[in-house]
Amino acid sequence: MPADIPELTYHQGTVKINGNISVPYAYWDERSKTFRAHGLYYKNIISYLKESSIEYKDSVPNPVSCPELKHLYKDNIQLRDYQQDAISSWIQNNYQGVIVLPTGSGKTFIGVDAIAYCNTPVIVIVPTIDLMEQWRSILSKAFSIEIGALGGGKKDIQPITVSTYDSAYIHAEKIGNRFNFIVFDEVHHLPAEGYRTIAEMFIAPYRMGLTATYEREDGLHKELNRLVGGKVFEQELSSLSGKHLSPYRIEKITVALKDEEKKEYKRNHSIFTDYLKKKNISMKSPGDFQKLVIRSGSDPEARKALLARNRAREIAFNSSAKVEKLRDILKKHIHDFVFIFTEHNQLVYRISDEFLIPPITYKTTTRERNLILEKFKSGTYNAIVTSKVLDEGIDVPEASVGIILSGTGSKREYIQRLGRILRKQKGKEAVLYEIVSAETSEINTSKRRKPAQ
DNA sequence: TTGACTCAACATCCTTTGCTACAA
DNA sequence: TTGTAGGTTTCCATGTTGAGTCA
């Protein structure tokens, strides 16, 4: 091989092109005096060099030594038709893209099957340590080999490794060339400013994203096209409801604020709206709101307006009438398993005290949380009150009744909460109650969170 | 090993109605 | 004519997690 043949190497999350040639996606790096590109574009660069018949030496991949996964795979999971279709669509899209399926529809099994199919070193990225342990448990049963872990104090790289987003972010520049396949569970987290560098630093040409909630409120899900390959398969909740998931109905209940609360709400709300009017500020998107927050750093009036708006929201979200309505609903479902969701922890603890229902918030220790969930599963408890902790990332027992006392306008949060009551239960219709304070901005918040029908 | 703590990162955030300047 | 963006640049509060440190 002639000495002047360009060589590609991996360095700190990038592909370095040693030899003075320019390739697509590469930029000139003055410090190393070479062209380099994000690891993400490794596949494109190789394709370009091959298509252009340019000779090169490839020293980029350094894969973890891997046994024949397809032979180890205990193929005892019978994939459902839509799961099979999801994998086919992903394969047709050159082993890249995001699969969108409702909570409880078996996304993990799709990932496991794809890992066996690709038969190559793989890293699975998950948002929480709880999920990391769930994946590791499923994977070790499916392949009977040791499953690596990165995160939660563990640093053990194996042909199949599961990592948290945080740890993958920290170690990406060192291990980004060690896997050919990367699976992002709960992939809607990936476009966040920090986490996206994981996708940029890994060279893995095979990429799969799994989520129940593709869209982000900040619109950054568009980045998933570049980072993972865009949406390749989606199955609506409605098409699985009744067959693979419980049938369900949604009941929206509007309650009036008490006179005192109403007065206090109006007073605070007008401080906010008066300020907007006075400054001629329009409020149409989260971006507009963000501008107001920035403004509040230097404008005391803006700060006062924001605090008043927060107080008004607090009144609407935590009204006494909601608690009374909750009492009625709980009486009606005395023999059912119930999750109660709120926006603020203050209300969680108030309900817990008043109705003697165990609370779970981020302040609850892991041990206590597991104990509560275990007792809920065994039937000792039939209700849990929580704010947002159980929205995602924790394996939660089945329930058939959900009560949203308050929440944000996030579609994701709404879908995740609905998902908590839809795991298939024979002959059982799930019901989601949404309780909203009348004549408050919560009416709009509630409208925003509903996914398009 | 466990627990308590701090820190950084992530997520949400949305009124009532017009005005101006500029781009397509 | 119609459509659309519009004040930048450390950022109100609340909830949540993982990583890291230290006792």
Side-chain angles (χ1 to χ4, degrees):
Chain A
M1 188 180 289
D4 56 353
I5 284 179
E7 182 186 11
L8 309 185
T9 56
Y10 184 77
H11 184 241
Q12 293 182 339
T14 64
V15 174
K16 251 167 89 175
I17 299 105
N18 303 292
N20 197 13
I21 60 160
S22 168
V23 297
Y25 303 102
Y27 56 91
W28 177 253
D29 176 34
E30 192 54 39
R31 280 183 309 175
S32 64
K33 307 283 183 202
T34 55
F35 283 100
R36 6 177 22 143
H38 278 138
L40 167 66
Y41 301 116
Y42 168 70
K43 185 183 176 186
N44 306 72
I45 292 169
I46 295 295
S47 301
Y48 167 81
L49 292 171
K50 281 183 179 160
E51 278 164 22
S52 312
S53 306
I54 297 172
E55 228 180 317
Y56 64 96
K57 184 182 174 195
D58 185 2
S59 306
V60 173
N62 177 26
V64 181
S65 139
C66 184
E68 289 288 325
L69 296 176
K70 61 182 175 192
H71 294 149
L72 294 172
Y73 185 42
K74 296 190 191 68
D75 195 3
N76 51 7
I77 305 165
Q78 194 58 47
L79 288 188
R80 296 168 178 167
D81 47 358
Y82 64 86
Q83 291 169 321
Q84 199 58 63
D85 291 347
I87 292 187
S88 304
S89 304
W90 176 77
I91 291 171
Q92 275 170 25
N93 194 47
N94 294 319
Y95 306 89
Q96 293 204 338
V98 176
I99 292 167
V100 185
L101 282 171
T103 310
S105 58
K107 286 188 286 294
T108 311
F109 296 120
I110 293 176
V112 173
D113 206 71
I115 288 169
Y117 185 86
C118 290
N119 193 33
T120 188
V122 59
I123 184 162
V124 181
I125 319 284
V126 300
T128 64
I129 291 171
D130 256 53
L131 274 176
M132 185 172 97
E133 294 310 332
Q134 279 173 45
W135 268 92
R136 290 183 73 219
S137 160
I138 292 170
L139 286 165
S140 73
K141 278 179 201 148
F143 294 98
S144 291
I145 55 168
E146 201 180 330
I147 305 298
L150 195 58
K154 299 189 177 97
K155 196 182 169 191
D156 176 27
I157 303 291
Q158 296 288 337
I160 302 177
T161 297
V162 186
S163 167
T164 61
Y165 276 86
D166 287 84
S167 287
Y169 170 66
I170 290 165
H171 300 290
E173 63 176 35
K174 289 201 174 66
I175 60 167
N177 61 342
R178 307 217 59 198
F179 300 92
N180 293 325
F181 184 16
I182 186 164
V183 178
F184 297 100
D185 193 19
E186 310 288 1
V187 72
H188 49 269
H189 290 285
L190 188 66
E193 202 184 332
Y195 291 160
R196 75 173 62 172
T197 56
I198 302 169
E200 287 170 343
M201 287 186 167
F202 274 81
I203 63 163
Y206 304 155
R207 293 172 179 242
M208 175 180 276
L210 300 168
T211 182
T213 52
Y214 186 79
E215 284 179 15
R216 292 168 58 99
E217 295 305 310
D218 58 11
L220 283 180
H221 50 271
K222 293 187 186 102
E223 275 290 295
L224 289 172
N225 285 330
R226 180 176 74 90
L227 300 171
V228 188
K231 199 191 290 179
V232 290
F233 185 85
E234 181 168 21
Q235 190 85 359
E236 301 285 340
L237 188 55
S238 53
S239 61
L240 298 182
S241 168
K243 193 177 175 194
H244 299 293
L245 296 172
S246 293
Y248 68 97
R249 68 172 201 279
I250 293 170
E251 273 189 39
K252 185 171 169 178
I253 301 166
T254 312
V255 295
L257 294 180
K258 290 193 169 164
D259 288 348
E260 273 305 296
E261 291 172 334
K262 199 184 276 183
K263 231 164 99 183
E264 182 72 354
Y265 176 86
K266 281 196 173 158
R267 192 177 69 77
N268 282 284
H269 192 63
S270 14
I271 294 174
F272 180 57
T273 51
D274 288 353
Y275 177 81
L276 294 182
K277 248 185 240 165
K278 189 173 155 194
K279 299 287 178 182
N280 198 20
I281 296 171
S282 69
M283 197 59 68
K284 285 174 182 157
S285 68
D288 294 329
F289 188 81
Q290 190 58 27
K291 280 178 199 159
L292 184 63
V293 171
I294 291 168
R295 196 170 183 157
S296 72
S298 56
D299 177 356
E301 253 194 291
R303 186 181 144 80
K304 198 176 150 199
L306 272 178
L307 292 179
R309 168 251 173 210
N310 289 347
R311 174 68 190 133
R313 246 164 63 103
E314 200 183 317
I315 294 164
F317 281 178
N318 305 321
S319 79
S320 330
K322 287 190 176 185
V323 178
E324 289 316 308
K325 183 50 78 176
L326 172 66
R327 192 183 304 279
D328 295 344
I329 297 173
L330 287 176
K331 269 186 203 159
K332 197 169 155 190
H333 291 283
I334 199 152
H335 299 300
D336 293 318
F337 287 89
V338 182
F339 281 132
I340 303 159
F341 302 102
T342 76
E343 174 68 8
H344 293 133
N345 287 333
Q346 187 197 350
L347 185 59
V348 169
Y349 291 112
R350 186 171 145 200
I351 288 166
S352 175
D353 286 349
E354 203 164 327
F355 297 91
L356 300 177
I357 293 172
I360 296 181
T361 69
Y362 74 96
K363 291 175 185 161
T364 315
T365 61
T366 311
R367 187 194 287 172
E368 199 184 342
R369 180 192 296 175
N370 290 338
L371 201 70
I372 293 172
L373 290 173
E374 201 48 53
K375 286 192 171 179
F376 185 83
K377 204 172 183 176
S378 67
T380 311
Y381 300 146
N382 71 333
I384 289 176
V385 58
T386 181
S387 44
K388 306 169 170 208
V389 191
L390 302 187
D391 285 356
E392 174 190 301
I394 296 168
D395 196 18
V396 164
E398 288 168 9
S400 58
V401 179
I403 305 170
I404 298 178
L405 283 181
S406 51
T408 66
S410 159
K411 290 181 181 65
R412 184 201 308 181
E413 181 184 86
Y414 182 80
I415 292 168
Q416 282 167 339
R417 288 176 165 185
L418 177 59
R420 287 309 190 195
I421 58 165
L422 294 184
R423 288 189 195 271
K424 183 75 175 158
Q425 297 179 67
K426 275 188 188 142
K428 190 98 185 165
E429 185 193 46
V431 52
L432 183 70
Y433 294 96
E434 194 190 2
I435 307 180
V436 178
S437 291
E439 296 178 69
T440 68
S441 63
E442 200 184 12
I443 300 284
N444 279 334
T445 307
S446 158
K447 273 184 202 156
R448 276 206 310 277
R449 62 183 164 231
K450 299 288 186 307
Q453 296 298 309

